[in-house]
């Protein structure tokens, strides 16, 4: 059976064509792949009208398609996004909707209200769209509370936060992001220092490209420095080549364009260090092969080596 037809049969409760490709319905519920993922459920409210609850979460691209088919098939019925739980557990226990289901729904709608309101305040171009999402979440939850007064007893109605509340939330998010960036930078610096001190041989690619004289192990734990420079990105060049290269380009630090003009293809052989070619030189540093090495790092290493 075509999956779209399965969805239509479910929405209209025809009791026909219940199974498609990893998509099936049993009674009021329709599933993707198994009872563990309930796509939608037709429900009679405490007021006596029928609505459909559609799974607000997702799982995979194919399940997304199943959810889309279900949503299209029941567009003639009032529908609500809802964090449907593991239906397999409900079937085993004989349970239907519970107060805990509505508490999870309240939290989900509340998060939409908060996040959409924050985006509406921050956004210049799509402020109205984010505000509509917040308003819809408030309206949908309050309708569900009206339709299920017993099951939602003790759970609050939702309202839109004030501008002052939204600003406080955005300021809190901004402070948390700044803290995360600071902590991330501190971790990167610790990793860089560990690499420079030969405590590790790996540094994340998001760290700066660093230079050190290569160290090798001889006779077990005994280490020895060899005449090679290695980068934190894994490249190696002869130490003497690196010295000649640095001394050749350092005079162009304040006029990098002159270096590129002098050594452009067809005029003179390009600057190379080992097997790697200088492709660009800027006031910030040099592009060598796939590496970008800052002037500060080249100068630090040159000073360390006494160049």
């Amino acid at each position: 059976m075509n999956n779209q037809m399965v969805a239509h049969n479910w929405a209209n409760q025809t009791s026909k064509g219940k199974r498609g490709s990893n998509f099936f319905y049993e009674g009021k519920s329709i599933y993707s792949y198994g009872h563990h993922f309930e796509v939608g459920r037709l429900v009679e409210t405490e007021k006596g009208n029928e609505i459909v609850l559609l799974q607000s979460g997702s799982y995979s691209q194919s399940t997304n398609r199943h959810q889309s088919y279900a949503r299209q098939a029941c567009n003639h019925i009032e529908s609500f996004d809802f964090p449907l739980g593991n239906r397999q557990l409900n079937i085993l226990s004989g349970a239907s909707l519970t107060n805990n289901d509505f508490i999870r729904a309240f939290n989900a709608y509340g998060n939409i209200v908060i996040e959409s309101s924050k985006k509406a305040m921050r956004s210049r171009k799509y402020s109205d769209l984010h505000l509509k999402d917040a308003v819809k979440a408030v309206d949908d939850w309050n309708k569900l509370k009206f339709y299920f007064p017993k099951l939602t007893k003790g759970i609050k109605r939702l309202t839109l936060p004030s501008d002052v509340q939204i600003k406080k939330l955005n300021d809190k998010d901004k402070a948390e992001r700044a803290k995360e960036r600071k902590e991330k930078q501190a971790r990167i610096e610790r990793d860089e220092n560990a690499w420079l001190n030969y405590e590790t041989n790996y540094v994340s690619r998001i760290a700066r490209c660093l230079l050190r004289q290569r160290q090798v192990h001889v006779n077990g734990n005994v280490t020895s420095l060899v005449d090679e420079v290695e980068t934190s990105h894994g490249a190696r060049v002869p130490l003497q080549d690196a010295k000649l290269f640095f001394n050749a380009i350092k005079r162009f630090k304040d006029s990098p364009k002159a270096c590129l003009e002098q050594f452009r293809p067809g005029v003179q052989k390009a600057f190379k260090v080992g097997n790697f070619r200088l492709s660009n030189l800027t006031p910030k540093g040099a592009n060598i092969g796939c590496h970008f090495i800052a002037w500060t790092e080249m100068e630090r290493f040159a000073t360390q080596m006494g160049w």
Side-chain angles (χ1 to χ4, degrees):
M1 174 67 66
N2 178 285
N3 279 346
Q4 288 175 292
M5 195 63 193
V6 171
H8 286 297
N9 287 338
W10 160 72
N12 292 278
Q13 290 290 282
T14 65
S15 298
K16 299 178 181 178
K18 294 185 176 183
R19 290 191 171 271
S21 176
N22 299 314
F23 193 41
F24 64 96
Y25 74 94
E26 293 176 355
K28 300 287 187 177
S29 295
I30 188 165
Y31 306 94
S32 176
Y33 285 91
H35 293 111
H36 65 283
F37 195 94
E38 187 178 9
V39 172
R41 191 187 309 178
L42 296 162
V43 176
E44 183 178 339
T45 74
E46 293 172 10
K47 300 294 184 180
N49 59 310
E50 186 178 59
I51 63 171
V52 61
L53 303 180
L54 296 169
Q55 179 63 262
S56 54
S58 189
Y59 186 76
S60 67
Q61 190 172 11
S62 54
T63 293
N64 285 346
R65 284 197 296 272
H66 295 163
Q67 290 177 275
S68 177
Y69 295 154
R71 191 175 293 275
Q72 292 169 4
C74 63
N75 62 14
H76 60 291
I77 309 170
E78 189 174 16
S79 63
F80 299 86
D81 287 341
F82 200 91
L84 294 167
N86 190 323
R87 184 61 169 161
Q88 193 166 10
L89 297 178
N90 291 341
I91 291 172
L92 292 172
S93 65
S96 186
L97 291 172
T98 66
N99 177 259
N100 285 335
D101 291 325
F102 282 95
I103 289 174
R104 288 189 294 109
F106 170 78
N107 290 332
Y109 278 112
N111 286 335
I112 293 172
V113 173
I114 291 172
E115 294 304 317
S116 296
S117 297
K118 290 192 296 187
K119 290 177 183 177
M121 178 169 279
R122 294 196 303 263
S123 178
R124 296 180 180 179
K125 188 175 182 180
Y126 300 109
S127 178
D128 289 347
L129 292 177
H130 294 309
L131 186 58
K132 284 179 181 178
D133 288 340
V135 170
K136 184 178 186 304
V138 169
D139 290 344
D140 282 355
W141 168 253
N142 290 337
K143 277 186 181 179
L144 283 172
K145 184 166 175 57
F146 171 75
Y147 286 149
F148 298 93
K150 294 178 181 178
L151 283 172
T152 60
K153 186 177 180 180
I155 309 177
K156 298 178 180 179
R157 288 172 56 85
L158 281 175
T159 58
L160 288 174
S162 68
D163 288 348
V164 173
Q165 290 173 316
I166 297 170
K167 186 178 185 304
K168 286 182 179 179
L169 291 170
N170 277 327
D171 289 344
K172 182 180 178 182
D173 285 351
K174 186 177 179 180
E176 288 177 352
R177 289 194 297 270
K179 182 181 178 182
E180 289 172 0
R181 286 194 298 270
K182 187 176 180 180
E183 291 173 348
K184 181 179 179 181
Q185 185 58 37
R187 288 195 301 270
I188 291 172
E189 290 176 2
R190 286 196 298 270
D191 291 345
E192 290 177 346
N193 289 329
W195 187 86
L196 290 171
N197 292 322
Y198 301 100
E199 296 168 8
T200 182
N201 289 319
Y202 173 78
V203 178
S204 171
R205 294 287 293 193
I206 64 175
R208 296 175 301 141
C209 184
L210 306 172
L211 304 170
R212 72 182 181 186
Q213 189 173 1
R214 187 182 170 219
Q215 185 183 76
V216 296
H217 291 273
V218 181
N219 298 327
N221 293 327
V222 179
T223 58
S224 176
L225 295 174
V226 297
D227 291 336
E228 280 187 328
V229 178
E230 65 179 346
T231 73
S232 54
H233 294 175
R236 300 172 185 170
V237 298
L239 188 62
Q240 185 61 23
D241 285 11
K243 180 179 180 180
L244 292 173
F245 176 81
F246 175 73
N247 287 329
I249 68 167
K250 67 180 181 180
R251 66 183 187 274
F252 294 107
K253 180 179 178 180
D254 296 327
S255 54
K257 289 184 179 179
C259 174
L260 299 176
E261 180 67 22
Q262 182 175 342
F263 291 93
R264 72 181 188 274
V267 176
Q268 189 172 331
K269 188 176 180 180
F271 271 163
K272 293 186 71 176
V273 54
N275 294 317
F276 305 101
R277 183 175 64 86
L278 173 70
S279 58
N280 195 21
L281 194 68
T282 73
K284 293 184 178 180
N287 289 98
I288 308 165
C290 65
H291 295 58
F292 175 80
I293 307 176
W295 281 110
T296 52
E297 179 58 16
M298 289 188 283
E299 290 168 342
R300 181 201 63 79
F301 183 72
T303 301
Q304 179 182 331
M305 301 304 298
W307 296 347

